[in-house]
Amino acid sequence: MENKIALIFDTNFIIEHSKDLNSVVEKLSKSYEVFVTQLSIDERISQQYLDLRANYDKIEKLATEIKPFAKVDVLVEFDKCFESRKKGIQNNYDTLFSGKIIPFSKSQETFSEIIDRVNKKMPPFIKGASDKGFKDTILWLSLMDYFSKNSETESVLFVSNDHGFTENADTLKKEFNSKTSLTIEIENNDFLNKLVQEKKEVELKSNVMDDLKLEELNELRHEIQRIMSRICTGSSYDPYEDGYRSFPLFKTTSYLEINQIEDMLNNLHNILFRDLFATQFVFSTLFLNLHIFKEEYYIPREDIESLNNLHDKIKSNYKQVLPQFYKVVTELINRNFDSSGFPEDIPF
């Protein structure tokens, strides 16, 4: 092992860099031995399953509607199509992370240990949430098991935005050291993003800062935060606490990818025109056949229009920062991700 520091990132980082993962891994490999967990791969496969299933459901619905006068022929059955995609995804990760995929155990012993940690609310489970942290616990146990058997690594760096890890870092680091004799650092995604960003200061200055004044940039930052806060978070008066409480206006069962947000924003004009007289929306209606939303509340039309207008403004006047806009909107929406779907979310 050329580099002695093992680096593992969670699924949310993979999603954030879905378009440039190969180049990101190549860059990080200059300083670390980069690993991925099979659990993260299976989560990506699961998302493909849900997307593909939604498309086939749409075909079945259409076939039923036009049955009196037309026929739909399915050229490839769902199971065969999914197995082909599943194999392709796994092969891609096998190639990119050759020999550096961390497995997870499906044994009864492992399952019993997970349930024991559930009952004791041991990190990375989150206190106060009955089952929030099931996947994180599977991942954590797989890391400790793998590196307890790996003598070539000097230390480990684990990157995740999940609160179960970041809010319990000290406790988890002690446990990891006791089980593996190795030190582990737990950082959030911003730590890695700083490492993989291209340092093109001259180009940045000529392409962005010359055309975008600091005052304009700050105004855009605040406008993005203000609009996305209204879209993602609601508030209501709580007489028991004598004050207002905030709550998510929707929750997601999977992380959204940047390309999905980009497609949604580019189609927002059509959505608003289609529902011209709608005064409010639930967030899922802005996406086509994306069944990952739950516990939705209505969002005023004015807030959706504000997002659409902001997108138009950036496309017209600040096109050079459009990729950063898509990125921050994706990150803000993904804060509403809720992993408390146990036991449905168990990947085996």
Side-chain angles (χ1 to χ4, degrees):
M1 185 176 285
E2 183 179 347
N3 298 309
K4 298 298 183 180
I5 302 176
L7 167 64
I8 310 99
F9 37 70
D10 205 352
T11 311
N12 45 29
F13 183 82
I14 295 174
I15 292 173
E16 189 176 333
H17 292 277
S18 58
K19 289 188 175 182
D20 61 348
L21 188 61
N22 285 40
S23 61
V24 167
V25 171
E26 180 182 357
K27 183 171 294 186
L28 293 173
S29 295
K30 295 176 182 178
S31 304
Y32 303 96
E33 290 293 330
V34 185
F35 291 79
V36 69
T37 67
Q38 185 61 47
L39 184 63
S40 289
I41 298 173
D42 287 351
E43 285 192 74
R44 305 299 293 129
I45 292 173
S46 173
Q47 185 59 56
Q48 285 291 315
Y49 176 92
L50 295 174
D51 291 345
L52 187 64
R53 182 70 266 175
N55 287 331
Y56 271 79
D57 288 343
K58 183 179 179 181
I59 293 172
E60 292 174 6
K61 181 180 179 182
L62 176 63
T64 301
E65 291 175 351
I66 66 173
K67 187 176 180 180
F69 50 86
K71 180 181 179 182
V72 174
D73 285 328
V74 178
L75 300 179
V76 182
E77 293 298 326
F78 172 79
D79 289 342
K80 185 176 181 180
C81 184
F82 171 66
E83 285 302 319
S84 176
R85 288 197 181 186
K86 178 181 178 180
K87 184 178 180 180
I89 293 170
Q90 187 67 53
N91 286 341
N92 287 340
Y93 280 96
D94 288 343
T95 301
L96 183 59
F97 297 91
S98 179
K100 298 184 180 68
I101 296 178
I102 299 173
F104 65 91
S105 173
K106 303 177 184 180
S107 69
Q108 181 62 42
E109 181 182 353
T110 300
F111 186 78
S112 297
E113 184 175 359
I114 293 170
I115 296 301
D116 183 58
R117 294 178 78 109
V118 173
N119 294 332
K120 296 176 180 177
K121 290 295 180 289
M122 294 175 62
F125 274 97
I126 298 176
K127 292 182 179 180
S130 61
D131 52 28
K132 193 171 179 62
F134 196 93
K135 284 182 181 177
D136 289 345
T137 298
I138 298 174
L139 189 153
W140 182 245
L141 293 177
S142 68
L143 292 184
M144 290 194 295
D145 180 63
Y146 182 87
F147 288 105
S148 66
K149 302 171 183 176
N150 190 318
S151 59
E152 298 180 8
T153 301
E154 289 182 353
S155 62
V156 177
L157 172 61
F158 177 59
V159 178
S160 173
N161 274 351
D162 288 342
H163 295 302
F165 290 113
T166 57
E167 294 178 5
N168 297 288
D170 290 340
T171 300
L172 292 171
K173 286 194 285 187
K174 290 177 182 177
E175 181 184 17
F176 190 86
N177 181 256
S178 68
K179 296 289 180 64
T180 68
S181 299
L182 297 174
T183 60
I184 186 171
E185 293 298 325
I186 300 174
E187 300 283 353
N188 60 32
N189 288 358
D190 289 340
F191 176 85
L192 276 191
N193 286 329
K194 292 176 183 178
L195 296 181
V196 300
Q197 285 173 351
E198 293 288 344
K199 294 183 179 180
K200 297 181 178 179
E201 296 179 359
V202 175
E203 182 179 342
L204 180 64
K205 183 177 179 180
S206 60
N207 290 346
V208 179
M209 298 312 294
D210 282 354
D211 299 327
L212 183 59
K213 296 179 180 179
L214 184 59
E215 293 82 1
E216 293 177 296
L217 183 58
N218 284 331
E219 183 180 337
L220 285 175
R221 287 171 179 156
H222 290 299
E223 189 173 2
I224 292 169
Q225 294 292 330
R226 184 173 63 253
I227 292 173
M228 292 309 301
S229 177
R230 294 203 303 263
I231 287 176
C232 296
T233 309
S235 64
S236 63
Y237 184 76
D238 189 340
Y240 297 101
E241 296 185 4
D242 193 28
Y244 284 88
R245 67 176 184 89
S246 61
F247 58 92
L249 290 175
F250 61 87
K251 293 181 181 179
T252 64
T253 57
S254 298
Y255 289 105
L256 284 153
E257 299 183 18
I258 291 177
N259 64 302
Q260 292 173 310
I261 299 302
E262 182 177 353
D263 291 343
M264 179 272 288
L265 288 169
N266 284 320
N267 191 46
L268 209 47
H269 274 293
N270 297 329
I271 298 293
L272 290 168
F273 181 76
R274 182 195 68 189
D275 299 319
L276 189 61
F277 295 107
T279 59
Q280 53 190 1
F281 295 83
V282 291
F283 197 64
S284 60
T285 59
L286 307 184
F287 298 83
L288 180 65
N289 293 324
L290 194 57
H291 307 293
I292 65 168
F293 297 94
K294 62 178 184 178
E295 299 181 31
E296 294 189 86
Y297 296 86
Y298 282 107
I299 302 169
R301 181 187 187 92
E302 291 76 13
D303 294 335
I304 303 298
E305 289 178 336
S306 294
L307 177 60
N308 183 56
N309 293 337
L310 175 60
H311 181 228
D312 285 346
K313 181 171 76 172
I314 293 177
K315 285 177 68 176
S316 299
N317 303 327
Y318 308 106
K319 193 173 182 178
Q320 68 272 35
V321 297
L322 196 57
Q324 290 90 336
F325 173 67
Y326 292 139
K327 179 176 179 294
V328 72
V329 171
T330 303
E331 290 171 351
L332 292 171
I333 290 173
N334 280 336
R335 290 181 181 179
N336 284 22
F337 169 70
D338 179 18
S339 62
S340 60
F342 174 74
E344 290 81 4
D345 283 345
I346 303 175
F348 49 87

